[in-house]
Structure formats: structure tokens, C-alpha cells
């Protein structure tokens, strides 16, 4: 607990459980390969490395508390940074408890080339923090887009093969919020989004409480045991809120107006909005429509982080 309090600057003062799946912990393997992509991440700053172990194969308490630590510390203080409170906690856990595990990390950095195609920009293989830090350094160069003006209207497309829930689809919010102007609008084209949570209980909690402001979520937690007992859901609700600073309009293929408005977002029919903002016609970045409207288009929010230069410290 003392280390956790120090790492989080006093925001979280309880001990954090370093939990692993027993197949990893007790499996007696000769080699454990952890493969994954390093990109900016809303909970820990930069994804992958030992997050794959302690969250990817972790237990419910460790996962939930890790999400809440990130949310309570502040998403916009962490995204695109390799050294964050939660990463320090995971690094400490790896150093203290996992020396006997034959862990090797295979980390990729993926970006787009001039033709808009996804290509591997870096491959980093190792068993220590340097492997991750070098991958994160490249990812910041490849996946972080600093803009010289704030975005008034952002159109994000959620690939139907990848995004089926707002739990994942809200990367459209996480990754663009630092670039969106006060009073701006984020339009999410989500053809296969048909649920909120990735499991029934989290889906229920999202529908019950909605993506409200941080003070509202904190009050809901104080007053309701079900949300207090699912810190991962509480963190997700904070992450998915615009804090009433900008508008979020969801255009899902498989959720109704009532469902979307019930969790606090605006709703527009997908088929209508796609006629105006056709992802097959828009290019990544700035687009000027025939009637003069200027919008910023993002084809895959999972691959980057966008920020207005004036919001960066």
C-alpha cells in the first residue's frame, strides 16, 4: 500500500493485488511469450508489456482496481506516456514476484504508410523494461498526432470486425478528447455496435448509470454497492464521459435511440449520417465537404492518439 500511494501521488492508498492466471503462474513452462502491440492507452498511458500479464491474465480485483486507478488519476494526464502510476505498479509487481517466470515480450509498433496501409514500424523483443520503453518511444512518434488547431467536428469510424460494444468503441472518445474543442462534436459511426459492456454485468451497469460526469459517477459509487463492487465499470463510465465539454453522437447499427440516449449520448441513424459522412469517401485527417463543412476523420481510433498542442503541458 505504501508503494501504491507513492506511485499514484496519494490518489489510491490501498494495496494492489498482483494476480495471474494459474496456468501462467503454476504451469511450469519453459517459455512464456507475450505478443502485442504498443499504442497509446487510456488506462495505463501506453498499452501492452506487463499489462498483458497482470491485466490480460489477471483476476477481477486486480483488473478492476487498475482501471479505477487510471481513471481516478486522470486519463488525460497519462495517455501517450510510458511512465505512469499504474505502469510503475505493474513494473514493481513484475520485479518482485515474477523473476522465476520465463517471460519474453514481443512488442510491435504499427502505423500507416503514405498510402494509408497498416505497416509494422518496429519489433521489440526482450524480457525487461527497456524493451517496452523503446517500443513506447517509437509508438509516441508513430501513433501520436499533435494538432495545431482544436477540432470542432470529428467523425470516427468503428470497423465492424473489431468494434461490437461501446466498451471498446469508446476508444473514439478516449483517443480524440484531447483534440476536441469546447462545444465541439464527436460523431461515431458504429455499424456493428450492439451492446455496451463486454459481459452482461458491466453491460447492466452501463445501462443503469450511463456515461455521466466524474462527480456524478463518484456520487453513484458512494450511494450504490453494485457500482462500488465493480471499479472497472466505474472507471469505464468516467472514461466515456465528455464531462459536458463536447457532444458525443453515436450512430450504431444495432442499438436503438432509446438505448443510446439512455446512457447519456446523442443518437442519429447510421444510414442517414453515413450518407453525409461516407467513410469510403473521407480521408484520414481534414476533409471539406461540397457544402463547405470542414470535418476531421479518423478511420481507426485504436491506432493513435490525437491532441491539440495547446492542451499538452
Amino acid at each position: 500500500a505504501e508503494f501504491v500511494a507513492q506511485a499514484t501521488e496519494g490518489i489510491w492508498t490501498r494495496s494492489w493485488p498482483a494476480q495471474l492466471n494459474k496456468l501462467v503462474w503454476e504451469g511450469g513452462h519453459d517459455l512464456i511469450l507475450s505478443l502485442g502491440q504498443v499504442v497509446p492507452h487510456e488506462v495505463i498511458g501506453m498499452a501492452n508489456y506487463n499489462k498483458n500479464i497482470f491485466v490480460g491474465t489477471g483476476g477481477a480485483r486486480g483488473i478492476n482496481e487498475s482501471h479505477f486507478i487510471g481513471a481516478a488519476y486522470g486519463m488525460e494526464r497519462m495517455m501517450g506516456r510510458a511512465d505512469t502510476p499504474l505502469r510503475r505498479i505493474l513494473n514493481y509487481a513484475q520485479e518482485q514476484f515474477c523473476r522465476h517466470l520465463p517471460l519474453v515480450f514481443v512488442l510491435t509498433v504499427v502505423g500507416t504508410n503514405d498510402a494509408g496501409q497498416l505497416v509494422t514500424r518496429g519489433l521489440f523483443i526482450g524480457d525487461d523494461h527497456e524493451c517496452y520503453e523503446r517500443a513506447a518511444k517509437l509508438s509516441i512518434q508513430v501513433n501520436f498526432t499533435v494538432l495545431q488547431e482544436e477540432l470542432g467536428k470529428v467523425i470516427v469510424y468503428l470497423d465492424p470486425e473489431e468494434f461490437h460494444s461501446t466498451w471498446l468503441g469508446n476508444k473514439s472518445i478516449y483517443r480524440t478528447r484531447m483534440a476536441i474543442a469546447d462545444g465541439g462534436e464527436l460523431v461515431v459511426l458504429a455499424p456493428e455496435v450492439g451492446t455496451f459492456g463486454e459481459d452482461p454485468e458491466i453491460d447492466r451497469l452501463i445501462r443503469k448509470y450511463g456515461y455521466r460526469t466524474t462527480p456524478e459517477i463518484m456520487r453513484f459509487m458512494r450511494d450504490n454497492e453494485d457500482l462500488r463492487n465493480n471499479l472497472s465499470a466505474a472507471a469505464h463510465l468516467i472514461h466515456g464521459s465528455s464531462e459536458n465539454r463536447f457532444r458525443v453522437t453515436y450512430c450504431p447499427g444495432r442499438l436503438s435511440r432509446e438505448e443510446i440516449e439512455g446512457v447519456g449520448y446523442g443518437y442519429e441513424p447510421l444510414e442517414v449520417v453515413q450518407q453525409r459522412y461516407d467513410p469510403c469517401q473521407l480521408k484520414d485527417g481534414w476533409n471539406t465537404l461540397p457544402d463547405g463543412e470542414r470535418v476531421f476523420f479518423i478511420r481507426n481510433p485504436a491506432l493513435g492518439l490525437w491532441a491539440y498542442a495547446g492542451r499538452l503541458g
Side-chain angles (χ1 to χ4, degrees), residues 173 177 211 238 240-248 265:
I173 301 172
R177 65 186 307 140
Y211 296 100
I238 292 173
S241 171
S242 71
E243 306 292 345
N244 292 334
R245 191 176 66 77
F246 55 90
R247 300 189 307 281
V248 177
Y265 293 146

Side-chain angles (χ1 to χ4, degrees), residues 111-174:
T112 55
N113 60 18
D114 293 338
Q117 300 167 318
L118 294 179
V119 294
T120 300
R121 293 296 184 89
L123 176 66
F124 300 85
I125 304 173
D127 60 0
D128 59 9
H129 302 330
E130 182 186 3
C131 173
Y132 159 73
E133 290 166 357
R134 291 175 64 178
K137 184 177 181 181
L138 178 61
S139 176
I140 291 169
Q141 298 172 7
V142 170
N143 302 126
F144 199 115
T145 303
V146 178
L147 303 165
Q148 296 308 307
E149 62 177 292
E150 293 181 288
L151 306 181
K153 192 163 196 175
V154 183
I155 314 297
V156 175
Y157 179 68
L158 299 182
D159 189 315
E161 293 188 6
E162 183 176 357
F163 297 101
H164 304 131
S165 67
T166 60
W167 178 268
L168 293 179
N170 278 358
K171 288 182 187 295
S172 57
I173 301 172
Y174 311 155

Side-chain angles (χ1 to χ4, degrees), residues 22 24 30 45 79 85 98 117 200 210 215 231 254 257 261 272 293-294:
K22 288 183 179 180
V24 177
D30 298 309
M79 285 193 298
C98 297
Q117 300 167 318
L231 294 177
R254 297 172 50 229
R257 175 185 295 273
E261 292 180 347
V272 173
E293 184 184 21
R294 191 163 174 256

Side-chain angles (χ1 to χ4, degrees), residues 48-70:
N48 254 283
Y49 185 46
N50 45 28
K51 176 180 178 293
N52 272 15
I53 304 300
F54 292 111
V55 176
T57 79
R61 184 185 158 201
I63 293 171
N64 291 345
E65 289 190 14
S66 72
H67 279 76
F68 194 76
I69 286 170

Side-chain angles (χ1 to χ4, degrees), residues 73-112:
Y73 186 78
M75 179 168 36
E76 294 183 17
R77 298 172 68 187
M78 295 189 304
M79 285 193 298
R81 293 172 172 84
D83 181 20
T84 64
L86 184 55
R87 183 63 72 181
R88 291 173 207 148
I89 291 169
L90 300 193
N91 287 351
Y92 179 90
Q94 181 181 343
E95 292 165 356
Q96 296 297 314
F97 311 125
C98 297
R99 292 183 182 275
H100 68 291
L101 295 178
L103 277 166
V104 173
F105 298 92
V106 181
L107 305 176
T108 63
V109 176
V110 175
T112 55

